[in-house]
């Protein structure tokens, strides 16, 4: 006759009675304390600090209100900058004196010393473009040899052959 | 101290986190017998169970600041114990040695024991130590993962959901492991009975 499931479970539950001798857990707790003390003495202060730091790092949680606060701060900064109440770098707006200084400086001056004027009051003639930036993009100019074209009924007259009349 | 007079786990964990080592001692008193039983039934070796018990609690103490209370302390320390024991058994390989010689004398008064050894049961003729030995032998033939599930469910009486949390597996997997393990155990014990 085979053991049925219930009998097997009953049999397994008997294993709860396999217990260590009385007083075992108290003695083991003393052993636990002894090992903890030994471990503390063995480790350097730096190791202990590092372990606590790592452990603290795992338990660190960003509070939920921090996300809202960060978004609020971003909105406030965007509003202040966008409304023009405050510009991040006022010197960039006040360019006229700077430009005069730049214009009077020698032609080998570094590009980084030029500032962009955002107000539109820049006197562009002060920039000697030929000495500062070489021309890279070809410029299309009207050809001297090209003839003017007259359009009649949608057809360019200058291109009409004589036999088409 | 009686378990019922102890502060709840949450309080004890908080006190330990703030540096009160006596609070951790109370957690030891509360959980060490269960953790010991879990490890012992997975390793079937008292010396190994003793060493692992100390290591499990040392690890729990070191990492208690990282315990956030998402699960109960009971589940958390069980998870540490099961994982450490599985790793240990896999490294150690198959070494089976029974070293707790006697069952607790209370077993003689246990209703289940009386039922089992009553007339018309297959284990009637088997004496107590032989029964113990037989069971452990059968248990050790299971894989360590199956042994863990059998120990927690059949021996410690934990619920499927709790075991699933401890092992980090779905409840359905717990049930299928239990089903498979029960069949295996029934076969092993039957073979022994025929000898």
């Amino acid at each position: 006759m085979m053991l049925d499931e219930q009998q097997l479970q009953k049999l397994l539950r008997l294993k709860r009675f396999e217990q260590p001798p009385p007083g075992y857990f108290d003695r083991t707790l003393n052993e636990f304390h002894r090992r903890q003390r030994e471990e503390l003495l063995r480790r350097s202060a730096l190791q202990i600090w590092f372990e606590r730091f790592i452990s603290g790092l795992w338990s660190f949680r960003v509070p939920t209100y921090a996300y809202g606060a960060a978004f609020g701060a971003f909105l406030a900064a965007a509003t202040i900058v966008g409304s023009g109440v405050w510009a991040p770098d006022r010197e960039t707006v006040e360019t006229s004196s700077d430009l005069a200084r730049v214009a009077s400086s020698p032609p080998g001056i570094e590009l980084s010393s030029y500032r962009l004027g955002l107000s539109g009051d820049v006197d562009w003639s002060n920039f000697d473009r030929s000495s500062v930036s070489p021309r890279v993009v070809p410029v299309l100019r009207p050809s001297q040899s090209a003839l003017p074209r007259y359009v009649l009924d949608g057809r360019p007259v200058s291109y009409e052959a004589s036999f088409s009349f | 101290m009686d378990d019922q007079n102890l502060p709840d786990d949450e309080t004890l964990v908080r006190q330990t986190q703030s540096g009160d080592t006596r609070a951790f001692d109370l957690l030891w008193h509360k959980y060490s017998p269960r953790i010991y039983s879990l490890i012992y039934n997975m390793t079937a070796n008292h010396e190994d169970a003793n060493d692992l018990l100390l290591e499990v609690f040392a690890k729990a103490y070191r990492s208690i600041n990282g315990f956030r209370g998402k699960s109960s302390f009971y589940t958390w320390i069980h998870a540490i114990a099961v994982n450490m024991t599985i790793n240990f058994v896999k490294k150690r390989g198959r070494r089976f040695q029974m070293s707790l010689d006697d069952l607790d004398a209370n077993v003689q008064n246990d209703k289940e024991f009386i039922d089992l050894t009553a007339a018309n049961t297959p284990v009637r003729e088997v004496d107590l130590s032989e029964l113990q030995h037989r069971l452990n032998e059968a248990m050790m033939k299971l894989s360590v993962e199956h042994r863990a599930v059998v120990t927690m469910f059949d021996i410690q009486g934990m619920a499927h959901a709790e075991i699933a949390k401890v092992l980090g597996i779905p409840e359905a997997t717990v049930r299928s492991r239990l089903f498979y393990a029960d069949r295996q155990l029934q076969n092993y014990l039957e073979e022994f009975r025929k000898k």
Side-chain angles (χ1 to χ4, degrees), chain A residues 96-109:
Chain A
S96 54
S97 59
D98 289 349
L99 283 173
R101 184 167 49 79
V102 169
S104 62
S105 64
I109 196 163

Side-chain angles (χ1 to χ4, degrees), chain A residues 117-133:
Chain A
L118 300 178
S119 61
D121 299 335
V122 183
D123 181 5
W124 293 100
S125 62
N126 286 325
F127 286 95
D128 180 7
R129 278 174 290 178
S130 61
S131 64
V132 174
S133 55

